[in-house]
Amino acid sequence: MSPSSVHVFLLFALYWKQICASSPFPMCPGSPAEKHAKCAMTVEFPHASCEDVNAEIVARMLRVDGWQDPHNQGTYSLLNYSSGLGKIEGSRITGDELYTDLFVFELIESGQGCQLHACSESQVRSVVDYSTNYCNLRSLYCNQSDSCPIITLNLEYEEVYVDCGQRTVEKCISTRENET
C-alpha cells in the first residue's frame, strides 16, 4: 500500500469508528445464537423526564400494584439499572416459559423530554418472533390509549425504528389463550 492509500484507509477507519460510536445501538445485549430476531429502536417521550420514564419502566418490571405483562403474561426480571439517566437491563421469559429474551434501555435527556434507545434480542436461534422483541420493549412504556395497563404515568411517545422489522402493535396486547 502506498502512503496515500494508507492515509485514506486510516481516515475511512476513523470515520467508520465515529459513525459506529455515535450509533445508539452498539448497546444491544447480544445473543449466543448466530441467527436471531431482534428489535432496536429509539423512543421519544416529549413531555416526560427520563427519571419519570425510568420509574414507570422499572415499576412495571417489578410488577408494582400487580401489573401484568399485556403480551401473553410474560415475566420480566430487572438485571441492572440506575435511576434517572442511564441504562436499564433486563430479561423477559415468555408466558409459556419456553424462551428468554434480553433487552437494554438507555435513557438520555432530550430537550423538554426524554429519548430512549431500546433493544431486545432473542437468545435462541429465531428468524420470526411474531413481534415478541418489539412487544418486550413496548409493553414497558405503552399507554392507556394503546390498551396497556399503566402504573403511574400515561406516557406520550413516538417510536423510530432502527432494526425492528417485526412490529405488529396488535400482537402486544394478547393473552396465551387468544394467541394463534
Side-chain angles (χ1 to χ4, degrees), residues 2-122:
S2 70
S4 63
S5 297
V6 170
H7 182 71
V8 169
F9 175 77
L10 289 174
L11 284 175
F12 177 76
L14 288 171
Y15 172 74
W16 187 251
K17 181 181 177 189
Q18 182 61 33
I19 288 173
C20 292
S22 64
S23 169
F25 298 100
M27 47 62 94
C28 286
S31 174
E34 185 177 334
K35 293 186 182 209
H36 62 279
K38 83 177 200 180
C39 178
M41 63 183 170
T42 298
V43 185
E44 294 283 345
F45 298 92
H47 307 295
S49 70
C50 286
E51 187 171 314
D52 287 344
V53 173
N54 182 310
E56 182 69 17
I57 289 171
V58 170
R60 291 182 192 190
M61 290 178 69
L62 296 175
R63 297 176 287 287
V64 170
D65 295 335
W67 183 87
Q68 288 191 342
D69 174 20
H71 180 64
N72 297 320
Q73 289 73 52
T75 302
Y76 284 93
S77 294
L78 186 60
L79 303 177
N80 188 22
Y81 87 104
S82 56
S83 61
L85 296 175
K87 285 186 181 179
I88 301 170
E89 298 175 31
S91 67
R92 179 182 176 274
I93 299 173
T94 55
D96 58 12
E97 299 181 357
L98 294 177
Y99 304 102
T100 300
D101 300 321
L102 295 179
F103 60 88
V104 177
F105 291 117
E106 186 173 26
L107 297 96
I108 301 166
E109 292 293 343
S110 176
Q112 297 295 314
C114 181
Q115 185 177 71
L116 179 76
H117 299 297
C119 187
S120 177
E121 291 187 284
S122 297

